[in-house]
Amino acid sequence: MRNSQDFAPPGPDAATAARRRPVRHRAAAALTAAVAFALVLTGCGGGGDAAPKSGSASASGSGSAKSSADADRVEPLAGTPAPELPVTVESADGRKVTIDSADRIVPLTGSLSEIVFTLGLGRQVVARDITATFEQAEELPVVTRAHDVSAESVLSLKPTIVLADTTTGPSEAIDQIRDAGIPLLVVEPAGGLDDVGRRIDTVAEALGVPSAGTELKERTERRIADVRKSVPDHADGEKPRVAFLYLRGSASVYLLGGADSGAGSLLEAAGAVDAGKESGLDKDFTAITSEALAKAAPDAILLMTKGLASVGGMDGLVKIPGIAETPAGMDRRVVTVDDGVLLNYGPRTDRVLAEIIGQLYAKGGTGR
């Protein structure tokens, strides 16, 4: 999938696309290859399904973690850095890209937008991808149709630099932007906590603000480390087992995350076991079955807020075959994080981790 909110309709070669996409973007193609049905877009761009708030308190000790109510805002560094350009950087697709100006920036993923804004360069951003749902970006024009980039829309805004990642498409749109002479940098997506600093550095270097990048990277990594310290000791010595489910009830999409779902790094940092991975699921996602859930035996279930809403909340969740028979289903134990931030692995990841820890170890919950 192109982001952590919604599936994009798959192309004709879904299996090949799935192998090429990073872990957090491949669920749609994986499902298509397995069960071969079309997916329906739901709730894109902050609309659609209402996102219920988790109501959990932030984990203590982070000094920065905020609740779900604040998760739609980014926290820029103090001041606006002055880009030192031109610079020449290497794109993830093997090209050399020279950037002469950062006056008009177009990031083509929500996570890249988040980094640019947090670096303090939000005023130079002239457009957004549909997945950039945080408050500071919401008034910007959208340059995607569904989840595909509109080259015409991008070019009409006369950008001086376009930021994409390896999942951005279609390829014809990327070629059209480059053919128009616009510098376009492709950034490797993130699959876990270890990728956060790398992506910040890459974007900051391309925009000519490496010092701001270093500051943001250090701030982000420090906050994540502080939140990790808040994981409580497990009373019985056993780590809670947590299954990550991707759900879109209106499209009959019910997926269980495996080794490459993208959530494993967060669950491990929260002191939990990724139940799907531990049960032997070596793919990114697989269709939910009663047998797979029984083998995973999760104590809690991690969900995106729109995913839970799409199946009718907790009462609807336990009606999915196999859920009610798991320890998580019997105890009605879920952990929910806003769709637009859960798998971004960027400057707000400390908040995501704090949300997971705060809910997972809430009084009377799993792990206590």
Side-chain angles (χ1 to χ4, degrees):
M1 54 186 169
R2 290 285 323 284
N3 65 94
S4 61
Q5 291 180 300
D6 298 281
F7 286 129
D13 192 358
T16 299
R19 291 192 292 272
R20 292 176 179 172
R21 293 173 186 162
V23 292
R24 70 185 182 91
H25 300 288
R26 294 189 305 226
L31 178 63
T32 304
V35 297
F37 58 77
L39 301 176
V40 179
L41 294 175
T42 55
C44 290
D49 301 330
K53 301 300 180 184
S54 66
S56 68
S58 299
S60 61
S62 71
S64 65
K66 300 182 180 182
S67 71
S68 290
D70 304 311
D72 63 348
R73 291 188 59 83
V74 299
E75 181 188 352
L77 297 174
T80 301
E84 298 180 5
L85 298 169
V87 297
T88 298
V89 293
E90 186 168 348
S91 182
D93 58 0
R95 300 169 181 253
K96 295 286 186 181
V97 180
T98 298
I99 299 100
D100 296 307
S101 170
D103 290 345
R104 299 181 67 80
I105 307 168
V106 176
L108 293 178
T109 75
S111 57
L112 290 172
S113 293
E114 183 178 314
I115 293 173
V116 175
F117 271 83
T118 312
L119 284 169
L121 296 175
R123 290 185 178 181
Q124 283 107 290
V125 178
V126 296
R128 69 178 176 94
D129 170 63
I130 198 169
T131 65
T133 58
F134 54 91
E135 185 175 313
Q136 293 100 319
E138 64 184 4
E139 298 300 322
L140 291 169
V142 176
V143 292
T144 50
R145 298 190 185 105
H147 292 285
D148 287 338
V149 175
S150 167
E152 294 81 6
S153 296
V154 171
L155 294 174
S156 71
L157 294 164
K158 303 185 186 311
T160 58
I161 172 65
V162 174
L163 301 171
D165 71 21
T166 56
T167 68
T168 304
S171 59
E172 293 82 5
I174 300 303
D175 291 341
Q176 187 175 343
I177 294 169
R178 279 185 164 144
D179 290 345
I182 307 300
L184 187 148
L185 179 71
V186 178
V187 181
E188 285 287 351
L193 291 172
D194 291 343
D195 296 320
V196 172
R198 168 186 58 77
R199 280 170 58 85
I200 291 172
D201 277 341
T202 298
V203 173
E205 182 184 2
L207 298 179
V209 291
S211 295
T214 299
E215 180 183 352
L216 178 57
K217 178 178 70 172
E218 291 177 350
R219 186 187 84 175
T220 303
E221 291 178 343
R222 180 177 64 252
R223 289 179 173 184
I224 291 171
D226 286 346
V227 174
R228 294 181 76 157
K229 295 175 184 176
S230 69
V231 177
D233 293 332
H234 306 298
D236 57 4
E238 294 290 330
K239 294 182 178 181
R241 297 173 61 86
V242 182
F244 174 43
L245 304 187
Y246 187 93
L247 307 176
R248 282 296 182 266
S250 59
S252 298
V253 175
Y254 307 100
L255 300 176
L256 170 61
D260 292 329
S261 73
S265 182
L266 286 168
L267 294 176
E268 291 168 9
V273 172
D274 183 335
K277 176 182 178 180
E278 186 72 11
S279 70
L281 298 178
D282 57 2
K283 299 179 180 179
D284 43 15
F285 288 86
T286 189
I288 289 175
T289 65
S290 296
E291 293 77 13
L293 286 169
K295 190 172 183 181
D299 300 305
I301 293 170
L302 173 64
L303 296 161
M304 296 177 189
T305 50
K306 287 183 180 179
L308 183 59
S310 77
V311 297
M314 192 69 222
D315 289 341
L317 178 67
V318 296
K319 293 178 182 177
I320 296 173
I323 295 287
E325 288 71 43
T326 66
M330 288 186 281
D331 293 338
R332 300 172 74 88
R333 295 292 299 154
V334 297
V335 175
T336 60
V337 179
D338 289 344
D339 301 47
V341 70
L342 175 58
L343 298 180
N344 271 1
Y345 287 112
R348 292 188 290 172
T349 295
D350 64 298
R351 303 186 201 176
V352 174
L353 185 57
E355 282 285 321
I356 293 173
I357 293 170
Q359 295 176 63
L360 186 57
Y361 301 102
K363 185 176 181 181
T366 304
R368 286 289 180 91

